[in-house]
């Protein structure tokens, strides 16, 4: 738990440095999402219910992106539908989806939170909770460490993937502009 | 054992970085918005920690209010990015 907290704290501070230091707007926005991930995971580590609010926040954000692209697909000239913009949109949606998957995992494997959602008592849910994944993971790692490992994997893959790909896209943009000039 | 001080360090760090970002990136509106978001995250962390320490829900309610502005801020930032990219592409087309 302490290791997870320290890791997330250092990552959050480091990513926020990168967010304010990046020259490109899009890359600094992606780093901001990474900072959000880290802070949300701090709450997640300590079973805080604020994770719900963060999920709602990301859903609103995702919906706004999806609506913008829907309008552009149906013919409203809001954003030019070129290859780079499409890539950017899919990457941002991927970040949001990774976050939602985290949330679902958290909901599935946390009896306390499930009791809030389904109005069942915690003890009954723990009895019901004998799913194959829990049986598989519970004996080896223990219930919470399995969840935390999954969260780390999802977050790190999402953060590295998105930021690295955005970096490459920005490079391509610059090279295209250089050729045009 | 993780105590109040650990969370406060995280909160203070995020807030200071956000303020420094605002001071450094005065020229770019979007960078200022992003820095404000980072500073807001620091404030949210401190709100939550103090409300959980004191077993008081007022901190969570304040966090909700802050988060609503945070969502609006994020959406506006993203719209700014889209408009920026749109304008840049239009300029490129006009240049051709």
């Amino acid at each position: 738990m302490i290791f997870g907290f320290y890791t997330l704290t250092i990552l959050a501070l480091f990513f926020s440095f990168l967010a304010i230091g990046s020259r490109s707007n899009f890359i600094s926005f992606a780093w901001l999402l990474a900072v959000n991930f880290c802070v949300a995971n701090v709450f997640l580590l300590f079973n805080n219910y604020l994770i719900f609010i963060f999920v709602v926040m990301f859903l609103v954000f995702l919906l706004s992106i999806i609506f913008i692209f829907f309008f552009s697909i149906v013919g409203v000239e809001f954003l030019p539908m070129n290859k780079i913009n499409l890539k950017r949109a899919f990457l941002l949606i991927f970040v949001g989806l990774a976050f939602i998957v985290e949330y679902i995992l958290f909901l599935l494997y946390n009896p306390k939170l499930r009791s809030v959602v389904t109005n069942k008592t915690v003890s009954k849910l723990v009895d019901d909770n004998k799913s194959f994944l829990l049986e598989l993971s519970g004996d080896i790692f223990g219930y919470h460490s399995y969840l935390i490992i999954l969260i780390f994997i999802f977050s790190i893959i999402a953060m590295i993937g998105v930021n690295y790909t955005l970096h490459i896209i920005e490079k391509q943009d610059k090279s295209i502009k250089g050729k045009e000039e | 054992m993780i105590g109040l001080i650990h969370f406060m360090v995280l909160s203070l760090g995020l807030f200071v970085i956000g303020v420094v970002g605002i001071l450094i990136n005065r020229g770019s509106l979007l960078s200022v918005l992003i820095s404000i978001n980072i500073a807001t995250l620091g404030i949210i962390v401190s709100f939550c920690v103090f409300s959980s320490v004191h077993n008081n829900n007022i901190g969570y309610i304040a966090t909700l209010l802050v988060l609503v502005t945070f969502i609006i801020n994020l959406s506006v930032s993203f719209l700014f990015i889209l408009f920026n990219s749109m304008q840049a592409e239009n300029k490129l087309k006009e240049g051709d």
Side-chain angles (χ1 to χ4, degrees):
Chain A
M1 192 77 103
I2 293 169
F3 173 73
F5 178 79
Y6 282 134
T7 313
L8 286 172
T9 305
I10 292 163
L11 279 177
L13 295 176
F14 179 62
F15 290 150
S16 49
F17 264 120
L18 289 175
I20 63 164
S22 302
R23 285 183 184 178
S24 162
N25 287 334
F26 223 95
I27 287 178
S28 60
F29 198 74
W31 285 124
L32 177 71
L33 281 179
V35 177
N36 277 325
F37 256 124
C38 293
V39 176
N41 284 338
V42 167
F43 290 127
L44 201 64
L45 273 176
F46 295 95
N47 283 350
N48 199 309
Y49 296 110
L50 272 178
I51 190 72
F52 284 117
I53 301 165
F54 270 93
V55 170
V56 172
M57 186 182 87
F58 269 84
L59 276 176
V60 171
F61 179 60
L62 267 183
L63 277 177
S64 65
I65 300 168
I66 290 165
F67 272 123
I68 287 163
F69 279 89
F70 174 74
F71 281 129
S72 59
I73 287 165
V74 294
V76 181
E77 283 294 322
F78 194 68
L79 185 79
M81 289 293 287
N82 56 27
K83 214 174 175 182
I84 294 167
N85 281 335
L86 267 177
K87 271 184 194 173
R88 283 170 176 169
F90 281 122
L91 282 169
L92 284 171
I93 288 167
F94 171 69
V95 174
L97 282 178
F99 201 83
I100 290 164
V101 169
E102 268 191 46
Y103 162 71
I104 290 166
L105 283 171
F106 186 57
L107 197 68
L108 283 177
Y109 295 101
N110 191 327
K112 203 177 163 190
L113 270 186
R114 276 181 67 186
S115 69
V116 175
V117 177
T118 56
N119 278 331
K120 282 185 180 178
T121 55
V122 176
S123 56
K124 203 187 172 204
L125 270 170
V126 173
D127 292 336
D128 292 346
N129 226 349
K130 296 285 178 191
S131 67
F132 71 99
L133 266 176
L134 252 186
E135 282 176 359
L136 194 76
S137 63
D139 298 332
I140 304 165
F141 297 113
Y143 172 87
H144 281 289
S145 40
Y146 176 72
L147 178 73
I148 289 163
I149 289 165
L150 274 178
I151 288 162
F152 272 123
I153 291 168
F154 269 110
S155 309
I156 289 166
I157 289 173
M159 284 185 290
I160 293 171
V162 169
N163 288 298
Y164 182 68
T165 321
L166 280 176
H167 180 68
I168 290 170
I169 290 169
E170 291 292 330
K171 264 189 176 177
Q172 284 176 349
D173 273 357
K174 277 178 187 171
S175 64
I176 288 165
K177 279 177 188 172
K179 278 178 187 174
E180 282 174 350
E181 280 170 9
Chain B
M1 184 67 189
I2 299 161
L4 184 64
I5 290 189
H6 295 86
F7 281 102
M8 291 318 292
V9 168
L10 172 65
S11 163
L12 188 73
L14 285 172
F15 186 74
V16 168
I17 291 169
V19 172
V20 169
I22 293 166
L23 293 173
I24 290 172
N25 301 315
R26 275 183 185 170
S28 160
L29 181 65
L30 193 74
S31 302
V32 172
L33 275 172
I34 285 169
S35 306
I36 290 170
N37 278 338
I38 291 168
T40 317
L41 267 180
I43 294 164
I44 286 170
V45 171
S46 64
F47 265 136
C48 295
V49 170
F50 275 109
S51 59
S52 67
V53 164
H54 293 291
N55 277 333
N56 195 340
N57 286 333
I58 293 170
Y60 288 120
I61 294 162
T63 310
L64 262 176
L65 283 173
V66 173
L67 268 173
V68 169
T69 52
F70 191 81
I71 291 165
I72 294 165
N73 213 343
L74 266 180
S75 311
V76 171
S77 317
F78 189 70
L79 279 176
F80 264 113
I81 291 175
L82 289 181
F83 279 122
N84 275 353
S85 63
M86 208 170 80
Q87 278 177 348
E89 284 186 17
N90 283 340
K91 276 180 187 173
L92 273 176
K93 278 179 188 173
E94 282 170 11
D96 293 336

